Amino acid sequence: MLYQTYQTLRYRTQHKVMKYVAMALPFPVPDLLQGPGSVRKLAGRIQADGLRHVLVVTDRVLMDLKLPQGFLKSLDKSGVEYTVFSDVQPNPTIENVEDGVRAYRDNKCDGIVAFGGGSPMDCAKVIGARISNWLLPVRWMKGNFKVLLPIPRIYAVPTTAGTGSETTVAAVITDAQTHEKFAINDLKLIPKVAVLDPELMVGLPPHITSTTGMDALTHAVEAYIGLNGTAFTDENAEKATRLIFENLEIAYKNGKDMTARNNMALASYYAGTAFTRAYIGYVHAIAHNLGGLYGVPHGLANAVILPHVLEFCRKEAEHKLAGLAVAGGIGKHWEPEEALAGRFIEKIKSMNKNMDIPPGIKELKEADIPLIAARALNEAHPDYPVPRIMTLEECEDLVARLLVPGNGKA
Ligand SMILES: NC(=O)c1ccc[n+]([C@@H]2O[C@H](COP(=O)([O-])OP(=O)(O)OC[C@H]3O[C@@H](n4cnc5c(N)ncnc54)[C@H](O)[C@@H]3O)[C@@H](O)[C@H]2O)c1
Ligand SMILES: [Fe+2]
């Protein structure tokens, strides 16, 4: 008990320090190209920046769908050479990064275009980090501010509305040897330009639309209920929540609804703006480990875990959850906070249900729960400024609730 009090004090002190450090940090803001068709302006911008040969980092699915085709043609027209590197897998690995580094060097590139979801964007960021910090192994850069030298220019073109990686300090990489997923956080990883073009998202299948959208919501919620939010991050999280509540289910049902897609692209960007300054929480800590161990898609894991973590910290976060319910348009400020917070959690559950997101993780094995819980807390403590500190036992209990009956036995 005494030890627990000491730990809580130690974490809370660290959170305070981090809050003031984050407030003082000069977060660069990417130049935005925004709205339907905005990707068509990117080649001109790259040419104007004086680049001669860019590495386009994407994935095979997107190449098969020919999604980058129009952009590649516009590079041709602008006289900018390019090499396509499409060997990025979902939950990108250290090997993916090293292959990309080779492609960059072999072709004497001088900048990077990250074209895809969070996986290509994160892989592109770490390729850039390795190019200019060639003595630093990927694993060594895990954690905060370990990217020592500035990286080549990154132009980010998100094709999912979820991670917000186009504006964040983070890149999440998996060590395929240990099945561990870890984040590299550094201001130098923030892209120089972000293109928010909803036309690139119309073909996103419904189940990826829903789960990536719930990732964005998780960013907004974790940034908002954590202890390190500021007026600026709160405002961004509120805007994101409102847009997601109003548009995600529409985009899920009708992917061609350009207004909904545009609003989701903005929501993802706002949520990224919030969490990169105010940090994340236990939902992400557990989701990263389900991703590392079983390859569970990041957004799916977050969507399933989110209501459980909110139930866990409901009392401590009640005031903030109530505020987010009002900002999200599902309640009035004069209603009792307890009712508003409860409604907020119910809203998330109903969104999951309406979008066919399952209540559990089918890959999860009972025997792995102690490892997942230990790794999740190791990730979250002492960095994540969560409203309620979780013990190992509580984390194991929470992860056990994600088991799918009959399918979770080792
Ligand atoms: N850097 C950050 O700040 C940050 C934040 C959250 C998550 N992440 C990381 O991002 C990764 C997840 O990214 P994601 O959720 O965007 O998924 P993803 O990039 O892995 O893409 C998921 C699937 O969707 C496909 N896809 C992407 N865009 C498409 C489109 N427009 N049309 C059709 N198919 C499309 C991809 O080919 C892929 O098969 C995880 O590794 C996660 O840890 C990073
Ligand atoms: Fe996320």
Side-chain angles (χ1 to χ4, degrees):
M1 185 63 190
L2 203 64
Y3 180 68
Q4 219 169 304
T5 313
Y6 161 74
Q7 285 289 49
T8 306
L9 259 174
R10 196 167 72 82
Y11 296 161
R12 290 306 186 208
T13 311
Q14 162 105 1
H15 299 154
K16 269 262 171 329
V17 173
M18 281 172 46
K19 177 168 179 169
Y20 292 111
V21 169
M23 281 166 77
L25 280 176
F27 276 85
V29 177
D31 293 343
L32 273 190
L33 301 178
Q34 205 267 316
S38 50
V39 73
R40 291 194 274 279
K41 297 184 200 141
L42 181 59
R45 168 69 199 254
I46 295 172
Q47 186 204 35
D49 286 345
L51 300 195
R52 286 195 304 264
H53 192 132
V54 289
L55 184 73
V56 179
V57 179
T58 183
D59 65 37
R60 294 230 178 92
V61 174
L62 296 180
M63 284 308 281
D64 289 347
L65 291 172
K66 301 197 187 331
L67 203 65
Q69 225 54 29
F71 167 63
L72 297 178
K73 276 196 190 126
S74 67
L75 281 177
D76 278 332
K77 273 199 198 135
S78 305
V80 179
E81 288 179 43
Y82 59 84
T83 298
V84 175
F85 172 69
S86 59
D87 287 340
V88 182
Q89 66 196 69
N91 296 320
T93 62
I94 297 175
E95 286 69 31
N96 294 162
V97 172
E98 297 304 340
D99 290 344
V101 168
R102 260 190 301 281
Y104 187 101
R105 288 213 185 103
D106 290 350
N107 295 285
K108 301 192 174 43
C109 298
D110 53 6
I112 302 177
V113 178
F115 195 111
S119 298
M121 286 194 283
D122 286 5
C123 190
K125 288 174 168 183
V126 186
I127 292 170
R130 285 277 294 126
I131 286 295
S132 39
N133 299 269
W134 67 97
L135 289 177
L136 308 181
V138 174
R139 253 207 166 278
W140 190 91
M141 292 189 275
K142 170 181 170 178
N144 300 331
F145 311 119
K146 303 261 196 65
V147 181
L148 302 182
L149 298 171
I151 73 172
R153 277 176 167 270
I154 298 207
Y155 301 81
V157 188
T159 62
T160 60
T163 70
S165 183
E166 68 276 10
T167 187
T168 72
V169 295
V172 192
I173 299 294
T174 297
D175 182 336
Q177 250 63 87
T178 59
H179 298 286
E180 197 192 344
K181 222 174 155 182
F182 59 91
I184 299 174
N185 301 309
D186 200 292
L187 294 177
K188 299 181 194 74
L189 298 184
I190 297 180
K192 290 282 177 288
V193 176
V195 181
L196 307 182
D197 186 343
E199 283 182 2
L200 298 172
M201 298 169 188
V202 292
L204 197 62
H207 71 284
I208 305 182
T209 300
S210 58
T211 50
T212 51
M214 291 307 279
D215 181 25
L217 183 63
T218 308
H219 296 153
V221 174
E222 294 210 291
Y224 198 80
I225 65 171
L227 304 190
N228 283 16
T230 60
F232 178 71
T233 62
D234 279 0
E235 189 194 329
N236 276 278
E238 287 175 356
K239 279 195 294 190
T241 303
R242 178 103 193 191
L243 286 171
I244 294 166
F245 279 1
E246 289 177 352
N247 294 280
L248 179 54
E249 288 182 58
I250 297 175
Y252 171 78
K253 286 195 199 105
N254 175 15
K256 292 191 175 58
D257 187 315
M258 201 59 80
T259 308
R261 289 290 190 194
N262 194 41
N263 285 335
M264 280 307 300
L266 285 170
S268 169
Y269 181 82
Y270 295 144
T273 303
F275 93 81
T276 202
R277 289 161 177 82
Y279 243 154
I280 41 178
Y282 289 126
V283 183
H284 271 82
I286 298 167
H288 286 154
N289 286 289
L290 294 173
L293 210 54
Y294 310 119
V296 179
H298 178 73
L300 172 65
N302 277 334
V304 175
I305 301 163
L306 182 59
H308 294 279
V309 170
L310 293 185
E311 292 289 6
F312 169 78
C313 62
R314 185 181 181 140
K315 211 168 108 251
E316 292 74 7
E318 186 175 280
H319 175 66
K320 292 309 286 267
L321 288 174
L324 218 41
V326 174
I330 57 167
K332 298 286 175 222
H333 64 90
W334 39 260
E335 291 183 79
E337 290 194 338
E338 195 184 346
L340 287 168
R343 198 177 308 149
F344 188 83
I345 300 173
E346 286 313 311
K347 170 76 180 170
I348 289 169
K349 289 182 188 163
S350 79
M351 286 174 80
N352 277 350
K353 208 162 169 221
N354 295 345
M355 297 188 294
D356 284 323
I357 293 175
I361 302 287
K362 65 179 187 328
E363 293 86 349
L364 176 62
K365 296 189 183 70
E366 204 172 355
D368 293 333
I369 291 175
L371 176 71
I372 292 166
R375 281 183 173 179
L377 293 194
N378 194 32
E379 172 181 327
H381 298 157
D383 285 356
Y384 296 175
V386 289
R388 176 182 170 193
I389 308 277
M390 205 180 263
T391 64
L392 185 61
E393 204 182 18
E394 287 165 338
C395 192
E396 288 180 357
D397 282 353
L398 193 150
V399 177
R401 263 174 258 139
L402 311 176
L403 280 167
V404 173
N407 203 15
K409 301 286 173 209

